[in-house]
Amino acid sequence: MAQFHATVVVTLKPDILDPAGDATAQVLRQMGYLVDDVRMGKHIQLTLEAESVSEAEAAVRQMTESLLANPVMETYTVRVDAS
Amino acid sequence: MNIAVVTFPGSNCDDDTVRALHALGASVIRLWYRDRDLGGIDGVILPGGFSYGDYLRGGALAAQAPVMEPLRHAVRERALPVLGICNGFQILTEAKLLPGALRPNRQGTFLSTWQHLRVTRASSLFWGLREGEYLRLPIAHGEGAYYLPPGQLASLFDRGQAWLQYVSFDGQLTAAANPNGSVANLAGVIAGSVAALMPHPERAMDAALGSADGVRLLTAWLEGIRRRSRDASS
């Protein structure tokens, strides 16, 4: 077993309303920034043990599908690095 | 003497705060987060609540609201007394008018309970509230863990900015008395004319409802402003 670091970025699907992103965009515009859109997401870092990069990635995808993201309204990307 | 209470979108303790101030005989002006003119005021309270839905970070978006610009100016130019309560504390740290930040509670849950506090440092902003006095006030927050970057705690105490600390019911400053994981049990800080605390004095205005210590705290703040205005005009 080796140790791997994984990064999961979870974002709302484009057609899902994002009140937090909208409020943040509005405040940025009011501060004078030329911002068209803000979407809020989650950046999750995990450290885990696995036999290989591919096994680690499969495990992280499973964790993401079952808990970290809600596939109904969110999409995600997974990146795994050997430590 | 006029005291302003600012309402942000999502403030929910503004009415209670106005009512508490009225009960103490203060004349109250209500300000809206879009106001760019504070008017003739002698002090301002940023009340508790969930401004901007607590989006991004508690208080982060409200700290950029239009009303904060004249407020910041008044603090700088004429040391306007400002009191932040709960979300108001978060707004003031995000606006960098107070040092530090408020993190999510250590245990990850919203806290709503009675809490004992100790006045660690007397301040002329709170006339008659003496060092070592105890208060019993309600707390109600999800992001109330006061945080300072490593190395800044000693200077906070040295500068007399460490104002209120969470203590046990018998007044002991212990780790167990710390409800949310704040550094050094800190519940309230002061910087210049700006003070803030996580507990809710406006919810402790009647002994029959648990505590009247909010009367002590708010009366001390109003008296501090009264004496300040009198000194300035004499």
Side-chain angles (χ1 to χ4, degrees), chain B residues 46-213:
Chain B
L46 304 189
F50 302 84
S51 59
Y52 290 83
D54 276 352
Y55 296 150
L56 196 58
R57 295 179 306 278
L61 298 180
Q64 303 293 340
V67 74
M68 293 303 288
E69 204 175 302
L71 188 146
R72 197 188 304 268
H73 187 260
V75 167
R76 199 173 48 224
E77 299 300 318
R78 59 183 181 102
L80 177 73
V82 180
L83 176 61
I85 299 171
C86 197
N87 188 223
F89 191 176
Q90 297 166 340
I91 294 168
L92 289 167
T93 58
E94 287 286 347
K96 300 195 166 52
L97 286 166
L98 287 175
L102 280 311
R103 294 189 305 188
N105 296 341
R106 175 179 48 195
Q107 60 275 58
T109 59
F110 192 91
L111 287 172
S112 179
T113 184
W114 287 94
Q115 175 68 46
H116 287 78
L117 302 143
R118 184 183 77 180
V119 179
T120 294
R121 186 65 177 241
S123 163
S124 61
L125 290 177
F126 296 87
W127 189 266
L129 203 60
R130 281 182 290 275
E131 189 170 318
E133 275 192 56
Y134 295 102
L135 299 163
R136 183 171 180 266
L137 296 174
I139 55 171
H141 56 245
E143 296 173 36
Y146 187 68
Y147 173 78
L148 270 181
Q152 294 187 14
L153 192 60
S155 71
L156 189 86
F157 277 86
D158 289 347
R159 289 198 212 106
Q161 295 179 329
W163 173 41
L164 296 175
Q165 285 175 296
Y166 299 112
V167 292
S168 61
F169 69 95
D170 55 350
Q172 302 302 308
L173 184 71
T174 60
N178 188 338
N180 52 23
S182 294
V183 291
N185 284 35
L186 282 163
V189 298
I190 290 179
S193 65
V194 180
L197 72 166
M198 285 313 294
H200 286 273
E202 81 284 7
R203 296 187 190 175
M205 297 296 291
D206 189 333
L209 297 176
S211 166
D213 286 352

Side-chain angles (χ1 to χ4, degrees), chain A residues 19-20 23-24 26-27 30-31 40, chain B residues 34 36 52 55-56 61 64-66:
Chain A
T24 306
Q26 198 185 320
V27 170
Q30 168 204 303
M31 290 168 76
M40 304 284 260
Chain B
R34 281 189 175 143
R36 292 184 184 274
Y52 290 83
Y55 296 150
L56 196 58
L61 298 180
Q64 303 293 340

